[in-house]
Amino acid sequence: MNQSEIIEKTKEYVQNKLSGENSGHDWWHIYRVWKNALNIGQHENVDLFVVQLAALLHDIADWKFNDGDLDIGPKIAREWLESLEVEEEIIAHVAQIIKEASFKGAGEIKKMPTLEGEVVQDADRLDAIGAIGIARTFAYGGHKNREIYNPNIKPEEKQSVEQYKNNTSPTINHFYEKLLLLKDLMNTKTARKIAEKRHKTMEEYLNTFFQEWEGKD
Ligand code: NI
């Protein structure tokens, strides 16, 4: 099987596996991360095959829905790629990226060991900000029965992994606890540029939100 056939098969596999997932980590999240990763990767000196496989498989067993077991994702990805007879070196690289790609609260920031990993991490973080980020954040907040906003509950910027997972604060707080911090966490120059644009979209959105909250036009 050649590389583009492997990508195609992996796309179908992930799409089947994630169908029905509607909390923001559905197939279309994967699709966007894959597109972001390709966009960034084309401007960086990376192995685009590794980048694409890791982007497609990065949420195959998301930690938020697996009681925090970080080994399930890499294991499923490995078994899948082994079934396609992908070279061991590539499988190991992809599995390592999947293991480290998840952001787990502002208290714990993982540095990716390879540029391919940095691109996938950037691509995933880009999908959490901007217009898409806003939509996903409210969708996830609704899934968790959170209030959209409560002026009496202030955001907490520094959180442990546990605090972040058990956070029940209003959705707007999530912008201050995570989303507005992501721009400065981008690894690559290419992603930083895209992030700046998306960051501005969120700032404009929040300004309007607070204005409307107080009945201003
Ligand atoms: Ni993701």
Side-chain angles (χ1 to χ4, degrees):
M1 222 182 289
N2 68 31
Q3 291 194 345
S4 59
E5 285 168 337
I6 291 170
I7 298 287
E8 201 46 49
K9 285 256 177 228
T10 302
K11 256 175 71 185
E12 284 166 23
Y13 169 74
V14 174
Q15 199 165 5
N16 282 333
K17 198 111 178 157
L18 295 185
S19 69
E21 176 61 65
N22 55 12
S23 61
H25 284 251
D26 59 359
W27 158 249
W28 296 111
H29 162 65
I30 307 302
Y31 173 85
R32 295 186 303 263
V33 171
W34 175 51
K35 291 288 171 174
N36 286 341
L38 266 174
N39 184 13
I40 303 164
Q42 273 152 5
H43 302 277
E44 305 283 336
N45 186 20
V46 286
D47 181 340
L48 279 177
F49 185 52
V50 169
V51 164
Q52 290 188 81
L53 288 177
L56 287 168
L57 292 162
H58 84 277
D59 275 335
I60 199 69
D62 189 277
W63 64 280
K64 288 187 204 74
F65 305 101
N66 275 292
D67 296 324
D69 187 345
L70 294 171
D71 293 318
I72 295 177
K75 191 170 164 267
I76 295 173
R78 164 171 288 282
E79 282 166 6
W80 167 249
L81 295 174
E82 277 173 358
S83 79
L84 298 181
E85 296 175 350
V86 173
E87 284 170 61
E88 170 54 31
E89 202 187 327
I90 301 225
I91 296 177
H93 194 171
V94 169
Q96 177 213 39
I97 293 171
I98 294 167
K99 183 151 182 165
E100 315 220 5
S102 233
F103 181 96
K104 295 158 210 80
E108 189 177 314
I109 294 160
K110 281 262 187 203
K111 180 90 184 96
M112 299 300 287
T114 64
L115 188 55
E116 282 77 7
E118 291 187 333
V119 168
V120 174
Q121 190 175 49
D122 283 352
D124 198 24
R125 287 173 174 169
L126 281 180
D127 198 52
I129 62 176
I132 298 279
I134 294 168
R136 286 184 66 203
T137 304
F138 284 105
Y140 187 70
H143 174 72
K144 291 280 189 182
N145 286 320
R146 291 178 187 163
E147 288 180 289
I148 58 169
Y149 177 51
N150 183 332
N152 299 325
I153 304 173
K154 298 289 167 223
E156 288 178 66
E157 279 203 14
K158 288 278 171 219
Q159 296 179 73
S160 68
V161 175
E162 263 331 283
Q163 283 171 316
Y164 179 69
K165 273 163 64 184
N166 300 326
N167 192 337
T168 56
S169 65
T171 298
I172 284 287
N173 291 18
H174 194 60
F175 287 84
Y176 299 93
E177 290 160 355
K178 180 177 172 186
L179 307 188
L180 293 169
L181 311 177
L182 289 174
K183 166 177 75 72
D184 294 326
L185 293 179
M186 294 298 155
N187 303 296
T188 63
K189 224 198 204 160
T190 310
R192 214 166 305 137
K193 226 174 113 189
I194 304 168
E196 261 159 41
K197 192 175 158 207
R198 296 189 183 194
H199 187 87
K200 223 171 263 160
T201 301
M202 293 193 295
E203 284 183 330
E204 282 163 11
Y205 173 77
L206 289 168
N207 284 338
T208 309
F209 184 97
F210 294 124
Q211 275 188 329
E212 292 183 3
W213 190 269
E214 294 301 333
K216 293 175 190 148
D217 51 41

